[in-house]
Amino acid sequence: MHRYRYISRLLAFALLVLQGLVLGANLFADEAEQRRVEISMSIFPRIVAVDNDFRNKLMEGNRAQLMFVYDKDARYAQKLAEQIKNDSDNIGGMAVETAVVNVADELSATSPPTAIFITEKLTDAKLQTVMEFANATQRLVFSPFLGDVERGVTVGISVTNRVKPFFNLPALRTSKVTINALLMKMSKRHE
């Protein structure tokens, strides 16, 4: 009977330790993901400006409209949109405005923005919806999330000992977005 209690307690303790490790790993993953978003917020406006067709994608009044697409967390998307608007008074000398749009909304019903920023990890189907809209309107899509460039997003970041833009070359060809050649040489590329 004592042996059964000992094994039972040992298993309970092991389960508790395992839960702690999983929780710790999730917290670390969330912190790393948050850091990628923070880094991306400073890079995104610069990437938008190196689209060779940037000036033709401006809104009325020569304003660069950045669309922040979310699935579940509207508040977070709004926070990021406000941060960009406060931190970037212009992109390539053009005034900045932001829009927050749910991926479930009819994207094609909205006028195409200058560029799109994905604010949370999307399912494959929802990411496909965004990419179809972007390709049809020849817009750049930026995602800070690890693995999204490989899943078809136009551009993200590569974080090693240096942070570099990370372009998906097939996605660029499909969307017909052309990027400054010098930046492309300095960037990481996915074939």
Side-chain angles (χ1 to χ4, degrees), residues 7-81:
I7 292 173
S8 178
R9 287 181 185 162
L10 187 60
L11 286 174
F13 178 73
L15 183 59
L16 185 61
V17 168
L18 183 60
Q19 286 174 332
L21 289 173
V22 169
L23 180 60
N26 287 341
L27 288 174
F28 178 73
D30 288 345
E31 283 180 27
E33 196 170 88
Q34 182 60 37
R35 184 69 183 132
R36 289 180 68 85
V37 171
E38 289 169 11
I39 292 168
S40 294
M41 292 296 286
S42 65
I43 292 173
F44 176 54
R46 295 178 196 155
I47 297 294
V48 172
V50 296
D51 176 344
N52 288 339
D53 205 24
F54 166 71
R55 297 206 182 272
N56 295 325
K57 296 176 183 176
L58 298 172
M59 307 304 286
E60 196 173 296
N62 287 331
R63 294 167 316 191
Q65 184 187 59
L66 306 179
M67 179 184 286
F68 290 78
V69 176
Y70 71 95
D71 181 27
K72 295 179 177 115
D73 196 345
R75 268 198 263 186
Y76 184 63
Q78 188 63 45
K79 175 186 168 201
L80 294 178

Side-chain angles (χ1 to χ4, degrees), residues 3-181:
R3 184 174 184 186
Y4 176 74
R5 275 192 222 150
Y6 174 74
I7 292 173
S8 178
R9 287 181 185 162
L10 187 60
L11 286 174
F13 178 73
L15 183 59
L16 185 61
V17 168
L18 183 60
Q19 286 174 332
L21 289 173
V22 169
L23 180 60
N26 287 341
L27 288 174
F28 178 73
D30 288 345
E31 283 180 27
E33 196 170 88
Q34 182 60 37
R35 184 69 183 132
R36 289 180 68 85
V37 171
E38 289 169 11
I39 292 168
S40 294
M41 292 296 286
S42 65
I43 292 173
F44 176 54
R46 295 178 196 155
I47 297 294
V48 172
V50 296
D51 176 344
N52 288 339
D53 205 24
F54 166 71
R55 297 206 182 272
N56 295 325
K57 296 176 183 176
L58 298 172
M59 307 304 286
E60 196 173 296
N62 287 331
R63 294 167 316 191
Q65 184 187 59
L66 306 179
M67 179 184 286
F68 290 78
V69 176
Y70 71 95
D71 181 27
K72 295 179 177 115
D73 196 345
R75 268 198 263 186
Y76 184 63
Q78 188 63 45
K79 175 186 168 201
L80 294 178
E82 287 172 12
Q83 180 182 337
I84 280 283
K85 199 165 184 179
N86 293 335
D87 293 349
S88 303
D89 60 346
N90 75 75
I91 295 176
M94 304 299 156
V96 176
E97 73 176 44
T98 59
V100 177
V101 177
N102 186 291
V103 71
D105 291 343
E106 188 65 36
L107 288 174
S108 61
T110 64
S111 60
T114 307
I116 300 166
F117 188 95
I118 296 175
T119 65
E120 60 189 84
K121 194 80 168 173
L122 300 175
T123 65
D124 287 342
K126 290 179 180 177
L127 183 61
Q128 184 64 31
T129 298
V130 174
M131 292 312 300
E132 286 172 3
F133 172 72
N135 292 341
T137 58
Q138 299 179 347
R139 294 318 195 246
L140 182 130
V141 177
F142 189 105
S143 175
F145 303 104
L146 192 61
D148 275 4
V149 170
E150 293 86 348
R151 291 172 58 210
V153 169
T154 318
V155 63
I157 58 172
S158 169
V159 180
T160 55
N161 59 342
R162 293 180 44 205
V163 176
K164 291 182 177 183
F166 183 22
F167 289 96
N168 181 316
L169 297 181
L172 282 172
R173 285 190 289 274
T174 301
S175 67
K176 298 179 182 152
V177 172
T178 56
I179 301 296
N180 176 287

